[in-house]
Amino acid sequence: MESPTPNMGVPAELAARMSMAEQHEYLRHKLSRRGLVRGGMIAVTATAVVGAAGGVAHADNGPALPKSANDDYDGVAVAPFGRHLSFGADPATEFSISWQTPVAVRKPFVRLGRAPWDLGHKVEAEVVALHTPALTPTGKPVDQYYLHVKLERLHPGTTYYYGVGHEGFDPADAEHFGTVGSFTTAPARSEHGRHSAPDPFTFTAFGDQGVSYHALGNDSVILAQNPAFHLHAGDIAYGDPAGQGLPADASQYDARTWDSFLFQTESVAKSVPWMVATGNHDMEAWYSPNGYGGDVARFPFIANGPDPAAAPGIYSFVYGNVAVISLDANDVSYEIPANFGITGGKQTAWLEQRLKAYRQQSGVDFIVVFFHHCAFSTTNQHASEGGVREQWVPLFEKYGVDLVINGHNHVYERTDGIAGGVVRSPLLIGGTHRPGTDGVVYATAGAAGRSLYSFPVADSYEGHEAAVDSVPTYHWVSGGGKVTETVAWSRVRYTNYSFLKVDVTPAPAGRTASMKVTALAEDGTRLDHFTIVRTAR
Ligand SMILES: [Fe+2]
Ligand SMILES: [Fe+2]
């Protein structure tokens, strides 16, 4: 289980009250007394896009550039790994390609082309060198090298082939040709109504993955669905296994967990954009005052949120007829308040502005919102976050959000249509949901691989329905307390590894567009399915 360990010298009552920024200061101060402080993160090239967004720690007395461990090193000995793709703000024209090298390399680059044998376009990569000192007296320092290339002005609906390399390793060479991958940009969006519908597409989602047999099992099933993109609802790798947002967490932190994670994730993310939200385990106190410096080094977040420097995990994009919004629930969490209020209310104001704009945007039929902490879940471990209910649920209802996807609770759980905190419309397995009148559906897909939680009542899922009219549970309130409640909205519960698949079928204006939502177990067995319908605009 994820419990805090003895802390690093901070009295317990003080530790419980420290914000992420205070923990960061404390950690750097403590380590500087031990003579261990060097830079947290160094963006090398002039086109630094990642370093600028994270409020990251900069070099105190370290080298200005990462160097090879061996000056005679020629790059031949190492291959890139951990390739992962991300959308830019416009998935039809902007992509980022990211990867890692086990040591510093010279002149990292991407080769790109419209055919695997024609990779003539070469783009220099940005290097982000991430240094983690020994965070415990017996630990060892870790240096990691992340490479990023931002691609713009791509053609919509087009497949590109790419390879990543560096001086001494060229993916265009015959011996490395097997490392060449591909991706496909989103279809062009229609601006003013449409007479024909774009092609159907699929996306997938889960949260709380980490590195495990089950995490890899889910990745394998996800790859077989051929998704256009994947949403990771936070608690990404568990480099910080404690996740309490406390100074003591640093004594368990292992930066190398991210190496295993990105190696595991490459199986999907080398061809499927892997879009992450930030959970409680993604706050890592060493790198930056907000705890997100490491995340920003590893993932090229879309920087179109209200305050990318404070909270990089807040952004949005449109793929086909679906608008996707990623939120940072650490900002509103009463349960784990280390970053509570980090955007100063800007996130909620931005959310309303985004929801309003997307509801009016021609060609956008569905709005999907994903973030870490659940508004509605009944597990014994975390249950429901009152901060999300207070700040965001009224907006989800006001603007008829079509689907909310969460993690944090390591189970699959899906609600009926909810409005005003109670069931508006029962949504049975196999049922149809009309968001305008039926309330909002919340799907918790937090069983991606890390571990499993438990429910206070029996599981109920496809082929094993055991309907329960009322479930005893609780929600978190201001100050960190729990308030018990008995609820009727828990429709589907499944205590095993699983994820969400969403099949989107657009339609000509005036006809019915649909999102078929399916929950799959790690062996591909179907656990739940329902269909969300709207009249296409
Ligand atoms: Fe988790
Ligand atoms: Fe979590």
Side-chain angles (χ1 to χ4, degrees), residues 71-142:
D71 280 345
D72 298 327
Y73 170 75
D74 62 8
V76 171
V78 297
F81 73 99
R83 289 170 294 173
H84 51 290
L85 303 174
S86 311
F87 285 143
D90 180 2
T93 60
E94 300 172 7
F95 261 68
S96 289
I97 300 173
S98 306
W99 69 100
Q100 189 173 354
T101 52
V103 296
V105 296
R106 294 193 189 100
K107 297 182 180 171
F109 61 88
V110 161
R111 282 189 179 280
L112 187 75
R114 299 282 288 271
W117 56 86
D118 177 17
L119 301 176
H121 191 61
K122 194 172 176 182
V123 187
E124 188 185 349
E126 179 204 10
V127 183
V128 179
L130 190 69
H131 176 75
T132 311
L135 294 172
T136 60
T138 55
K140 288 201 163 51
V142 176

Side-chain angles (χ1 to χ4, degrees), residues 208 235 280-281 372 408:
D208 309 80
D235 285 3
N280 53 302
H281 285 268
H372 190 60
H408 198 44

Side-chain angles (χ1 to χ4, degrees), residues 2 208 233-235 238 243 279-281 335-336 372-373 382 407-410 453:
E2 302 159 8
D208 309 80
D235 285 3
Y238 291 83
N280 53 302
H281 285 268
E335 182 196 4
I336 301 171
H372 190 60
H373 305 61
H382 293 306
H408 198 44
N409 286 295
H410 297 186
Y453 289 173

Side-chain angles (χ1 to χ4, degrees), residues 117-476:
W117 56 86
D118 177 17
L119 301 176
H121 191 61
K122 194 172 176 182
V123 187
E124 188 185 349
E126 179 204 10
V127 183
V128 179
L130 190 69
H131 176 75
T132 311
L135 294 172
T136 60
T138 55
K140 288 201 163 51
V142 176
D143 286 291
Q144 291 165 310
Y145 302 95
Y146 298 103
L147 302 309
H148 302 276
V149 167
K150 267 194 167 181
L151 301 170
E152 296 174 336
R153 296 186 297 279
L154 298 168
H155 295 284
T158 301
T159 296
Y160 289 88
Y161 295 85
Y162 75 96
V164 302
H166 50 262
E167 194 175 280
F169 185 102
D170 191 335
D173 290 346
E175 64 265 38
H176 300 314
F177 195 66
T179 66
V180 170
S182 68
F183 63 87
T184 303
T185 53
R189 297 211 326 265
S190 61
E191 292 300 329
H192 302 289
R194 57 175 174 246
H195 302 291
S196 62
D199 291 337
F201 63 94
T202 296
F203 70 91
T204 51
F206 62 35
D208 309 80
Q209 188 182 22
V211 182
S212 74
Y213 308 132
H214 304 290
L216 193 57
N218 271 330
D219 281 352
S220 167
V221 183
I222 283 171
L223 187 62
Q225 313 308 313
N226 191 29
F229 57 92
H230 177 73
L231 306 177
H232 192 315
D235 285 3
I236 303 166
Y238 291 83
D240 168 7
Q244 301 299 309
L246 298 177
D249 294 4
S251 65
Q252 297 181 44
Y253 179 71
D254 185 352
R256 296 167 306 176
T257 301
W258 283 99
D259 298 355
S260 302
F261 178 81
L262 290 174
F263 191 86
Q264 168 189 277
T265 302
E266 183 175 33
S267 61
V268 178
K270 69 177 194 290
S271 54
V272 177
W274 188 268
M275 308 303 293
V276 300
T278 43
N280 53 302
H281 285 268
D282 306 312
M283 296 184 284
E284 302 165 338
W286 159 251
Y287 301 110
S288 63
N290 61 5
Y292 299 135
D295 304 310
V296 169
R298 293 159 177 133
F299 297 98
F301 290 91
I302 298 172
N304 64 2
D307 191 346
I314 309 170
Y315 59 87
S316 67
F317 63 89
V318 175
Y319 187 103
N321 62 340
V322 177
V324 178
I325 299 175
S326 172
L327 299 178
D328 181 348
N330 291 321
D331 184 23
V332 299
S333 173
Y334 292 140
E335 182 196 4
I336 301 171
N339 266 344
F340 186 84
I342 193 169
T343 71
K346 278 191 272 185
Q347 176 166 219
T348 301
W350 175 87
L351 171 63
E352 173 145 36
Q353 174 259 318
R354 287 280 75 195
L355 292 173
K356 194 173 182 181
Y358 282 142
R359 270 291 163 250
Q360 293 170 353
Q361 185 169 321
S362 177
V364 171
D365 296 322
F366 299 105
I367 302 176
V368 174
V369 183
F370 78 110
F371 53 92
H372 190 60
H373 305 61
C374 304
F376 299 100
S377 172
T378 64
T379 73
N380 295 313
Q381 286 75 12
H382 293 306
S384 304
E385 175 54 69
V388 173
R389 289 188 184 179
E390 290 168 21
Q391 295 275 326
W392 300 340
V393 164
L395 296 177
F396 299 157
E397 295 180 4
K398 180 177 177 183
Y399 293 96
V401 165
D402 297 280
L403 180 65
V404 176
I405 299 170
N406 298 129
H408 198 44
N409 286 295
H410 297 186
V411 292
Y412 176 72
E413 184 171 22
R414 195 263 294 167
T415 70
D416 289 321
I418 295 177
V422 298
V423 176
R424 166 67 64 88
S425 179
L427 179 56
L428 305 184
I429 294 170
T432 297
H433 181 74
R434 292 173 178 77
T437 55
D438 293 353
V440 179
V441 178
Y442 299 81
T444 298
R450 173 61 177 182
S451 64
L452 295 174
Y453 289 173
S454 61
F455 290 109
V457 296
D459 281 7
S460 181
Y461 56 98
E462 187 166 355
H464 302 80
E465 283 93 342
V468 176
D469 289 338
S470 63
V471 181
T473 182
Y474 64 92
H475 63 272
W476 298 92

